[in-house]
């Protein structure tokens, strides 16, 4: 049930990805719009708990419980099971079963290949709660490997310049690095300081990323021809002056919209997303076999309409109070 704090399961006494502190929270993954500190208890995968600890400190929750993929947990009359969401390291879909009904809260997910996390798993269910970040037909992401080829072609074309790739620090940056390695790029890859902690954590969990170096302390001349990963905000501030004639790139599904790339001053847009695109969203909904779909986190109306044309019961999964505000 959508309430002000987020999705609430009253029979189990917990919320999923609550937006305010609650007594018991089940967290799908470590991004800050889903994983917030201050809960009495948190259930999540070990990787998600570790991410929250890295970001918020050791006391981010009163107590924690790590849950493995496929492990069943009972809370009251409710059974919980975590399944891979394919979004970032440790991301999970939460299957909530009570009596003869199964509801799956997918969190954020993607069905595309990603060497840095467990692949997405379709979970048959009666009710599917789906994100809709890219819930419009215009968003078709293509293959990350093809976008990385564009980056490597630019590096070859401009060997005298440095390439700065804006990417979110949890998930996207590590995926870009891993796909670069799969493409055969074996030179050191440089990291903005804000990227180091989480990227090294990925390596500690066995994700192969090759040789990585901190960009701080490097001479400008030594960064010629290199690739550096940085938070998107860093690629547009004075921090970039340490690089020789930098080529600014940005890895995001939003780069499908060229106007967004121009607005951000992005020279090399890379359409690489950690969310399902329109085809991924619709294919996943059909694959679950769900007769009812709740849509949240994004372009809800278009996906709700698509579901209804397929004969599915569908609605936006927002608290009523928030829906009233939006109508105003």
């Amino acid at each position: 049930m959508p309430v002000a704090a987020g999705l609430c399961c009253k029979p189990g006494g917990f919320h999923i990805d609550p937006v305010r502190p609650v007594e018991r929270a089940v967290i799908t993954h470590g991004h800050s719009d889903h994983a917030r500190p201050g809960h009495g208890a948190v259930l999540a995968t070990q990787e998600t708990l570790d991410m929250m600890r890295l970001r918020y400190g050791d006391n981010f929750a009163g107590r924690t419980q790590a849950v493995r993929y496929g492990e069943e947990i009972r809370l009251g009359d409710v059974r919980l099971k975590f399944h891979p969401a394919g979004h970032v390291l440790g991301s999970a879909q939460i299957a909530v079963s009570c009596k003869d009904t199964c509801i799956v809260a997918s969190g954020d997910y993607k069905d595309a290949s990603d060497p840095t996390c467990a692949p997405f798993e379709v979970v048959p269910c009666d009710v599917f709660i789906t994100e809709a970040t890219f819930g419009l037909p215009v968003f078709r992401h293509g293959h990350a490997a093809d976008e990385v080829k564009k980056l490597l072609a630019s590096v070859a074309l401009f060997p005298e310049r440095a390439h700065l790739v804006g990417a979110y620090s949890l998930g996207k940056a590590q995926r870009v690095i891993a796909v670069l390695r799969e493409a055969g790029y074996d030179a050191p890859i440089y990291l903005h300081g804000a990227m180091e902690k989480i990227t090294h954590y990925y390596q500690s969990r066995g994700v192969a990323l090759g040789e990585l170096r901190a960009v701080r302390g490097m001479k400008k001349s030594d960064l010629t021809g290199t690739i550096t990963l940085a938070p998107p905000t860093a690629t547009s501030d004075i921090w970039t002056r340490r690089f020789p004639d930098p080529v600014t790139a940005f890895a995001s599904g939003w780069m499908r919209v060229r106007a967004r790339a121009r607005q951000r001053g992005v020279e090399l847009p890379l359409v690489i997303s950690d969310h399902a695109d329109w085809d991924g969203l619709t294919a996943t909904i059909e694959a679950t076999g769900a007769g009812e779909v709740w849509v949240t986190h994004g372009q809800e109306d278009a996906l709700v309409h698509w579901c209804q044309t397929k004969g599915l019961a569908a609605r936006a999964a927002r608290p009523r109070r928030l829906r009233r505000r939006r109508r105003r």
Side-chain angles (χ1 to χ4, degrees):
M1 174 188 298
V3 298
L7 291 170
C8 174
C9 178
K10 289 186 177 180
F14 63 87
H15 291 72
I16 297 176
D17 293 349
V19 298
R20 60 184 63 170
V22 297
E23 180 55 35
R24 181 183 287 127
V26 178
I27 305 298
T28 61
H29 66 281
H31 282 145
S32 59
D33 57 334
H34 293 257
R36 293 172 170 84
H39 305 304
V42 169
L43 281 74
T45 64
Q46 186 62 60
E47 292 88 349
T48 295
L49 293 175
D50 290 343
M51 293 296 178
M52 294 181 74
R53 192 167 288 110
L54 285 174
R55 289 186 152 185
Y56 302 128
D58 291 338
N59 299 318
F60 68 89
R63 56 194 184 279
T64 62
Q65 181 178 349
V67 183
R68 300 184 302 276
Y69 292 136
E71 179 183 1
E72 186 171 280
I73 302 293
R74 285 186 173 269
L75 294 176
D77 296 329
V78 173
R79 302 186 307 278
L80 295 183
K81 189 176 284 189
F82 283 46
H83 300 268
H87 179 54
V88 297
L89 185 64
S91 61
Q93 305 173 80
I94 315 299
V96 181
S97 300
C98 186
K99 298 180 180 178
D100 296 326
T101 300
C102 177
I103 300 174
V104 170
S106 62
D108 290 338
Y109 66 93
K110 70 174 181 294
D111 57 346
S113 172
D114 184 341
T116 68
C117 65
F120 176 81
E121 178 182 315
V122 173
V123 185
C125 57
D126 302 293
V127 180
F128 186 57
I129 305 174
T130 181
E131 64 145 311
T133 303
F134 293 105
L136 290 173
V138 68
F139 291 113
R140 289 180 164 90
H141 298 326
H143 298 289
D146 293 335
E147 299 301 299
V148 162
K149 285 179 183 176
K150 295 178 186 177
L151 172 59
L152 292 177
S154 182
V155 171
L157 186 62
F158 302 111
E160 75 285 359
R161 303 177 70 181
H163 281 68
L164 307 185
V165 182
Y168 300 115
S169 61
L170 169 52
K172 184 70 62 63
Q174 296 78 28
R175 185 183 181 201
V176 169
I177 294 169
V179 177
L180 278 166
R181 298 311 189 192
E182 287 185 334
Y185 185 79
D186 58 4
I189 293 174
Y190 290 84
L191 300 177
H192 183 285
M195 296 286 189
E196 294 179 38
K197 189 182 296 185
I198 291 176
T199 303
H200 293 323
Y201 174 77
Y202 265 67
Q203 290 180 304
S204 76
R205 301 297 289 187
V207 179
L209 299 176
E211 184 180 354
L212 305 175
R213 296 180 183 175
V215 76
R216 64 178 178 280
M218 295 294 298
K219 295 180 180 178
K220 189 172 186 175
S221 58
D222 291 337
L223 292 170
T224 298
T226 60
I227 297 175
T228 296
L229 274 291
T233 53
T235 62
S236 59
D237 68 17
I238 60 173
W239 179 81
T240 63
R241 295 178 184 175
R242 68 183 64 202
F243 296 92
D245 192 17
V247 175
T248 301
F250 184 26
S252 170
W254 297 110
M255 291 298 96
R256 177 63 65 195
V257 181
R258 297 301 176 181
R260 289 208 176 202
R262 289 193 297 271
Q263 288 168 0
R264 299 183 68 108
V266 175
E267 188 173 349
L268 182 61
L270 303 173
V271 185
I272 301 175
S273 177
D274 284 335
H275 297 264
D277 63 4
W278 176 260
D279 291 335
L281 292 167
T282 56
T284 297
I285 290 168
E286 289 188 312
T288 65
E292 184 174 348
V293 179
W294 300 356
V295 184
T296 186
H297 280 93
Q299 307 288 344
E300 297 153 354
D301 293 345
L303 200 54
V304 167
H305 176 73
W306 179 90
C307 290
Q308 292 171 343
T309 66
K310 299 296 181 179
L312 304 176
R315 65 186 178 97
R318 294 192 303 270
R320 292 178 183 174
R321 182 163 58 89
L322 294 182
R323 289 202 292 271
R324 287 199 298 272
R325 284 180 178 175
R326 287 198 178 193
R327 283 198 295 269
R328 291 173 190 163

